[in-house]
mmCIF file of all heavy atoms in Angstrom:
data_model
loop_
_atom_site.group_PDB
_atom_site.id
_atom_site.type_symbol
_atom_site.label_atom_id
_atom_site.label_comp_id
_atom_site.label_asym_id
_atom_site.label_seq_id
_atom_site.Cartn_x
_atom_site.Cartn_y
_atom_site.Cartn_z
ATOM 1 N N PRO A 1 2.388 29.125 2.383
ATOM 2 C CA PRO A 1 3.208 28.322 3.311
ATOM 3 C C PRO A 1 2.308 27.524 4.255
ATOM 4 O O PRO A 1 1.219 27.950 4.615
ATOM 5 C CB PRO A 1 4.026 29.379 4.062
ATOM 6 C CG PRO A 1 3.196 30.628 3.964
ATOM 7 C CD PRO A 1 2.509 30.570 2.634
ATOM 8 N N ALA A 2 2.768 26.350 4.644
ATOM 9 C CA ALA A 2 1.981 25.481 5.515
ATOM 10 C C ALA A 2 2.885 24.815 6.535
ATOM 11 O O ALA A 2 4.108 24.739 6.354
ATOM 12 C CB ALA A 2 1.239 24.426 4.687
ATOM 13 N N ASN A 3 2.286 24.325 7.614
ATOM 14 C CA ASN A 3 3.023 23.639 8.665
ATOM 15 C C ASN A 3 2.533 22.193 8.735
ATOM 16 O O ASN A 3 1.366 21.939 9.034
ATOM 17 C CB ASN A 3 2.785 24.339 10.004
ATOM 18 C CG ASN A 3 3.577 23.708 11.130
ATOM 19 O OD1 ASN A 3 4.353 22.774 10.909
ATOM 20 N ND2 ASN A 3 3.378 24.200 12.342
ATOM 21 N N PHE A 4 3.432 21.263 8.460
ATOM 22 C CA PHE A 4 3.052 19.852 8.428
ATOM 23 C C PHE A 4 3.515 19.104 9.687
ATOM 24 O O PHE A 4 3.368 17.892 9.758
ATOM 25 C CB PHE A 4 3.655 19.182 7.189
ATOM 26 C CG PHE A 4 3.066 19.698 5.901
ATOM 27 C CD1 PHE A 4 3.670 20.730 5.224
ATOM 28 C CD2 PHE A 4 1.896 19.161 5.391
ATOM 29 C CE1 PHE A 4 3.131 21.225 4.040
ATOM 30 C CE2 PHE A 4 1.345 19.648 4.227
ATOM 31 C CZ PHE A 4 1.955 20.690 3.534
ATOM 32 N N SER A 5 4.046 19.821 10.654
ATOM 33 C CA SER A 5 4.598 19.153 11.836
ATOM 34 C C SER A 5 3.530 18.439 12.658
ATOM 35 O O SER A 5 3.836 17.487 13.371
ATOM 36 C CB SER A 5 5.344 20.172 12.704
ATOM 37 O OG SER A 5 4.451 21.183 13.161
ATOM 38 N N GLN A 6 2.277 18.909 12.568
ATOM 39 C CA GLN A 6 1.213 18.300 13.356
ATOM 40 C C GLN A 6 0.451 17.215 12.591
ATOM 41 O O GLN A 6 -0.456 16.592 13.137
ATOM 42 C CB GLN A 6 0.233 19.383 13.805
ATOM 43 C CG GLN A 6 0.861 20.496 14.619
ATOM 44 C CD GLN A 6 1.580 19.973 15.848
ATOM 45 O OE1 GLN A 6 1.044 19.141 16.600
ATOM 46 N NE2 GLN A 6 2.808 20.444 16.053
ATOM 47 N N LEU A 7 0.798 17.008 11.336
ATOM 48 C CA LEU A 7 0.121 16.003 10.515
ATOM 49 C C LEU A 7 0.898 14.696 10.514
ATOM 50 O O LEU A 7 2.118 14.694 10.702
ATOM 51 C CB LEU A 7 -0.050 16.514 9.086
ATOM 52 C CG LEU A 7 -0.975 17.723 8.898
ATOM 53 C CD1 LEU A 7 -1.016 18.127 7.431
ATOM 54 C CD2 LEU A 7 -2.381 17.410 9.400
ATOM 55 N N PRO A 8 0.240 13.564 10.282
ATOM 56 C CA PRO A 8 0.942 12.277 10.216
ATOM 57 C C PRO A 8 2.030 12.285 9.134
ATOM 58 O O PRO A 8 1.865 12.918 8.077
ATOM 59 C CB PRO A 8 -0.170 11.281 9.877
ATOM 60 C CG PRO A 8 -1.418 11.935 10.350
ATOM 61 C CD PRO A 8 -1.222 13.410 10.138
ATOM 62 N N ASP A 9 3.101 11.588 9.408
ATOM 63 C CA ASP A 9 4.210 11.484 8.455
ATOM 64 C C ASP A 9 3.914 10.319 7.511
ATOM 65 O O ASP A 9 4.018 9.150 7.908
ATOM 66 C CB ASP A 9 5.523 11.253 9.211
ATOM 67 C CG ASP A 9 6.733 11.251 8.279
ATOM 68 O OD1 ASP A 9 6.538 11.296 7.036
ATOM 69 O OD2 ASP A 9 7.868 11.205 8.788
ATOM 70 N N LEU A 10 3.559 10.629 6.281
ATOM 71 C CA LEU A 10 3.169 9.589 5.331
ATOM 72 C C LEU A 10 4.346 8.761 4.838
ATOM 73 O O LEU A 10 4.149 7.767 4.129
ATOM 74 C CB LEU A 10 2.437 10.206 4.132
ATOM 75 C CG LEU A 10 1.174 11.000 4.458
ATOM 76 C CD1 LEU A 10 0.456 11.411 3.180
ATOM 77 C CD2 LEU A 10 0.237 10.199 5.361
ATOM 78 N N ARG A 11 5.552 9.136 5.204
ATOM 79 C CA ARG A 11 6.707 8.295 4.859
ATOM 80 C C ARG A 11 6.768 7.056 5.750
ATOM 81 O O ARG A 11 7.437 6.072 5.420
ATOM 82 C CB ARG A 11 8.001 9.102 5.001
ATOM 83 C CG ARG A 11 8.162 10.212 3.972
ATOM 84 C CD ARG A 11 9.318 11.135 4.317
ATOM 85 N NE ARG A 11 9.048 11.876 5.551
ATOM 86 C CZ ARG A 11 9.881 12.750 6.096
ATOM 87 N NH1 ARG A 11 11.058 12.980 5.510
ATOM 88 N NH2 ARG A 11 9.577 13.391 7.208
ATOM 89 N N GLN A 12 6.063 7.116 6.873
ATOM 90 C CA GLN A 12 6.003 5.972 7.782
ATOM 91 C C GLN A 12 4.884 5.030 7.352
ATOM 92 O O GLN A 12 3.959 5.410 6.642
ATOM 93 C CB GLN A 12 5.748 6.449 9.217
ATOM 94 C CG GLN A 12 6.778 7.432 9.726
ATOM 95 C CD GLN A 12 8.182 6.842 9.748
ATOM 96 O OE1 GLN A 12 8.351 5.676 10.119
ATOM 97 N NE2 GLN A 12 9.171 7.626 9.346
ATOM 98 N N ARG A 13 4.961 3.773 7.790
ATOM 99 C CA ARG A 13 3.935 2.792 7.470
ATOM 100 C C ARG A 13 2.611 3.165 8.139
ATOM 101 O O ARG A 13 2.597 3.737 9.227
ATOM 102 C CB ARG A 13 4.371 1.395 7.911
ATOM 103 C CG ARG A 13 5.451 0.798 7.005
ATOM 104 C CD ARG A 13 4.836 0.284 5.710
ATOM 105 N NE ARG A 13 5.814 0.053 4.665
ATOM 106 C CZ ARG A 13 6.543 -1.050 4.554
ATOM 107 N NH1 ARG A 13 6.433 -1.996 5.447
ATOM 108 N NH2 ARG A 13 7.361 -1.183 3.544
ATOM 109 N N GLY A 14 1.495 2.798 7.463
ATOM 110 C CA GLY A 14 0.176 3.048 8.006
ATOM 111 C C GLY A 14 -0.230 1.995 9.023
ATOM 112 O O GLY A 14 0.583 1.188 9.486
ATOM 113 N N SER A 15 -1.516 1.968 9.373
ATOM 114 C CA SER A 15 -2.000 1.138 10.467
ATOM 115 C C SER A 15 -2.436 -0.268 10.041
ATOM 116 O O SER A 15 -2.785 -1.080 10.880
ATOM 117 C CB SER A 15 -3.182 1.837 11.150
ATOM 118 O OG SER A 15 -4.255 2.010 10.232
ATOM 119 N N PHE A 16 -2.427 -0.551 8.733
ATOM 120 C CA PHE A 16 -2.872 -1.849 8.257
ATOM 121 C C PHE A 16 -1.695 -2.811 8.116
ATOM 122 O O PHE A 16 -0.578 -2.421 7.777
ATOM 123 C CB PHE A 16 -3.560 -1.729 6.889
ATOM 124 C CG PHE A 16 -4.926 -1.119 6.941
ATOM 125 C CD1 PHE A 16 -5.076 0.251 6.999
ATOM 126 C CD2 PHE A 16 -6.073 -1.919 6.929
ATOM 127 C CE1 PHE A 16 -6.339 0.828 7.041
ATOM 128 C CE2 PHE A 16 -7.329 -1.358 6.972
ATOM 129 C CZ PHE A 16 -7.463 0.026 7.028
ATOM 130 N N THR A 17 -1.963 -4.092 8.364
ATOM 131 C CA THR A 17 -1.046 -5.153 7.936
ATOM 132 C C THR A 17 -1.575 -5.679 6.611
ATOM 133 O O THR A 17 -2.575 -5.199 6.095
ATOM 134 C CB THR A 17 -0.974 -6.279 8.978
ATOM 135 O OG1 THR A 17 -2.276 -6.835 9.146
ATOM 136 C CG2 THR A 17 -0.453 -5.759 10.305
ATOM 137 N N TRP A 18 -0.920 -6.666 6.047
ATOM 138 C CA TRP A 18 -1.366 -7.194 4.768
ATOM 139 C C TRP A 18 -0.943 -8.641 4.605
ATOM 140 O O TRP A 18 -0.061 -9.144 5.316
ATOM 141 C CB TRP A 18 -0.800 -6.378 3.604
ATOM 142 C CG TRP A 18 0.699 -6.456 3.517
ATOM 143 C CD1 TRP A 18 1.461 -7.418 2.910
ATOM 144 C CD2 TRP A 18 1.630 -5.545 4.119
ATOM 145 N NE1 TRP A 18 2.796 -7.163 3.079
ATOM 146 C CE2 TRP A 18 2.926 -6.024 3.805
ATOM 147 C CE3 TRP A 18 1.497 -4.386 4.873
ATOM 148 C CZ2 TRP A 18 4.075 -5.359 4.228
ATOM 149 C CZ3 TRP A 18 2.646 -3.730 5.285
ATOM 150 C CH2 TRP A 18 3.904 -4.217 4.960
ATOM 151 N N THR A 19 -1.579 -9.308 3.690
ATOM 152 C CA THR A 19 -1.185 -10.646 3.265
ATOM 153 C C THR A 19 -0.947 -10.614 1.774
ATOM 154 O O THR A 19 -1.728 -10.017 1.022
ATOM 155 C CB THR A 19 -2.282 -11.671 3.596
ATOM 156 O OG1 THR A 19 -2.405 -11.787 5.010
ATOM 157 C CG2 THR A 19 -1.921 -13.046 3.036
ATOM 158 N N LYS A 20 0.126 -11.222 1.340
ATOM 159 C CA LYS A 20 0.457 -11.247 -0.089
ATOM 160 C C LYS A 20 0.163 -12.631 -0.652
ATOM 161 O O LYS A 20 0.521 -13.646 -0.058
ATOM 162 C CB LYS A 20 1.926 -10.903 -0.323
ATOM 163 C CG LYS A 20 2.270 -10.768 -1.805
ATOM 164 C CD LYS A 20 3.749 -10.466 -2.010
ATOM 165 C CE LYS A 20 4.579 -11.732 -1.945
ATOM 166 N NZ LYS A 20 5.986 -11.515 -2.360
ATOM 167 N N ARG A 21 -0.484 -12.678 -1.796
ATOM 168 C CA ARG A 21 -0.686 -13.926 -2.515
ATOM 169 C C ARG A 21 -0.293 -13.693 -3.971
ATOM 170 O O ARG A 21 -0.259 -12.558 -4.448
ATOM 171 C CB ARG A 21 -2.122 -14.410 -2.401
ATOM 172 C CG ARG A 21 -3.146 -13.475 -3.038
ATOM 173 C CD ARG A 21 -4.541 -14.033 -2.927
ATOM 174 N NE ARG A 21 -4.895 -14.221 -1.527
ATOM 175 C CZ ARG A 21 -5.889 -14.999 -1.124
ATOM 176 N NH1 ARG A 21 -6.623 -15.643 -1.998
ATOM 177 N NH2 ARG A 21 -6.166 -15.126 0.151
ATOM 178 N N THR A 22 -0.008 -14.763 -4.681
ATOM 179 C CA THR A 22 0.353 -14.667 -6.094
ATOM 180 C C THR A 22 -0.744 -15.293 -6.936
ATOM 181 O O THR A 22 -1.147 -16.445 -6.702
ATOM 182 C CB THR A 22 1.702 -15.368 -6.364
ATOM 183 O OG1 THR A 22 2.725 -14.693 -5.631
ATOM 184 C CG2 THR A 22 2.051 -15.308 -7.846
ATOM 185 N N LEU A 23 -1.248 -14.543 -7.885
ATOM 186 C CA LEU A 23 -2.282 -15.015 -8.798
ATOM 187 C C LEU A 23 -1.624 -15.500 -10.083
ATOM 188 O O LEU A 23 -0.766 -14.824 -10.642
ATOM 189 C CB LEU A 23 -3.262 -13.882 -9.128
ATOM 190 C CG LEU A 23 -3.893 -13.141 -7.955
ATOM 191 C CD1 LEU A 23 -4.766 -12.002 -8.479
ATOM 192 C CD2 LEU A 23 -4.711 -14.085 -7.103
ATOM 193 N N GLU A 24 -2.044 -16.664 -10.542
ATOM 194 C CA GLU A 24 -1.578 -17.198 -11.818
ATOM 195 C C GLU A 24 -2.705 -17.035 -12.833
ATOM 196 O O GLU A 24 -3.775 -17.622 -12.686
ATOM 197 C CB GLU A 24 -1.179 -18.660 -11.680
ATOM 198 C CG GLU A 24 -0.024 -18.859 -10.703
ATOM 199 C CD GLU A 24 0.353 -20.318 -10.539
ATOM 200 O OE1 GLU A 24 -0.382 -21.182 -11.074
ATOM 201 O OE2 GLU A 24 1.362 -20.593 -9.873
ATOM 202 N N LEU A 25 -2.479 -16.218 -13.850
ATOM 203 C CA LEU A 25 -3.542 -15.784 -14.756
ATOM 204 C C LEU A 25 -3.299 -16.267 -16.181
ATOM 205 O O LEU A 25 -2.150 -16.402 -16.621
ATOM 206 C CB LEU A 25 -3.631 -14.258 -14.753
ATOM 207 C CG LEU A 25 -3.699 -13.601 -13.375
ATOM 208 C CD1 LEU A 25 -3.575 -12.103 -13.497
ATOM 209 C CD2 LEU A 25 -4.988 -13.977 -12.682
ATOM 210 N N TYR A 26 -4.390 -16.511 -16.878
ATOM 211 C CA TYR A 26 -4.295 -16.872 -18.287
ATOM 212 C C TYR A 26 -5.475 -16.273 -19.037
ATOM 213 O O TYR A 26 -6.640 -16.607 -18.777
ATOM 214 C CB TYR A 26 -4.266 -18.387 -18.476
ATOM 215 C CG TYR A 26 -4.276 -18.803 -19.933
ATOM 216 C CD1 TYR A 26 -3.248 -18.403 -20.777
ATOM 217 C CD2 TYR A 26 -5.327 -19.554 -20.456
ATOM 218 C CE1 TYR A 26 -3.255 -18.768 -22.107
ATOM 219 C CE2 TYR A 26 -5.334 -19.910 -21.800
ATOM 220 C CZ TYR A 26 -4.297 -19.518 -22.622
ATOM 221 O OH TYR A 26 -4.312 -19.864 -23.948
ATOM 222 N N ASP A 27 -5.178 -15.353 -19.932
ATOM 223 C CA ASP A 27 -6.200 -14.708 -20.737
ATOM 224 C C ASP A 27 -6.299 -15.451 -22.069
ATOM 225 O O ASP A 27 -5.430 -15.307 -22.934
ATOM 226 C CB ASP A 27 -5.843 -13.240 -20.959
ATOM 227 C CG ASP A 27 -6.923 -12.479 -21.699
ATOM 228 O OD1 ASP A 27 -7.865 -13.125 -22.198
ATOM 229 O OD2 ASP A 27 -6.832 -11.242 -21.784
ATOM 230 N N ARG A 28 -7.335 -16.245 -22.223
ATOM 231 C CA ARG A 28 -7.480 -17.057 -23.435
ATOM 232 C C ARG A 28 -7.652 -16.202 -24.679
ATOM 233 O O ARG A 28 -7.222 -16.587 -25.771
ATOM 234 C CB ARG A 28 -8.678 -17.995 -23.291
ATOM 235 C CG ARG A 28 -8.455 -19.136 -22.314
ATOM 236 C CD ARG A 28 -9.722 -19.934 -22.132
ATOM 237 N NE ARG A 28 -9.503 -21.092 -21.278
ATOM 238 C CZ ARG A 28 -10.488 -21.775 -20.720
ATOM 239 N NH1 ARG A 28 -11.737 -21.407 -20.913
ATOM 240 N NH2 ARG A 28 -10.212 -22.810 -19.960
ATOM 241 N N SER A 29 -8.315 -15.058 -24.531
ATOM 242 C CA SER A 29 -8.562 -14.223 -25.706
ATOM 243 C C SER A 29 -7.268 -13.744 -26.339
ATOM 244 O O SER A 29 -7.230 -13.437 -27.535
ATOM 245 C CB SER A 29 -9.431 -13.027 -25.328
ATOM 246 O OG SER A 29 -8.732 -12.140 -24.472
#
């Protein structure tokens, strides 16, 4: 048995923000 009440709740968002970009790819092979 363990107690997780003192540990961070990983269901919540972390400390980083992010930027999303879209890559357009073409594999010639």
Side-chain angles (χ1 to χ4, degrees):
N3 183 3
F4 293 94
S5 62
Q6 302 304 313
L7 294 179
D9 185 353
L10 301 187
R11 291 169 294 180
Q12 303 299 319
R13 286 282 164 83
S15 62
F16 287 81
T17 60
W18 64 85
T19 294
K20 186 182 82 170
R21 64 178 60 198
T22 297
L23 307 176
E24 298 178 352
L25 310 171
Y26 176 61
D27 185 351
R28 288 175 176 164
S29 68

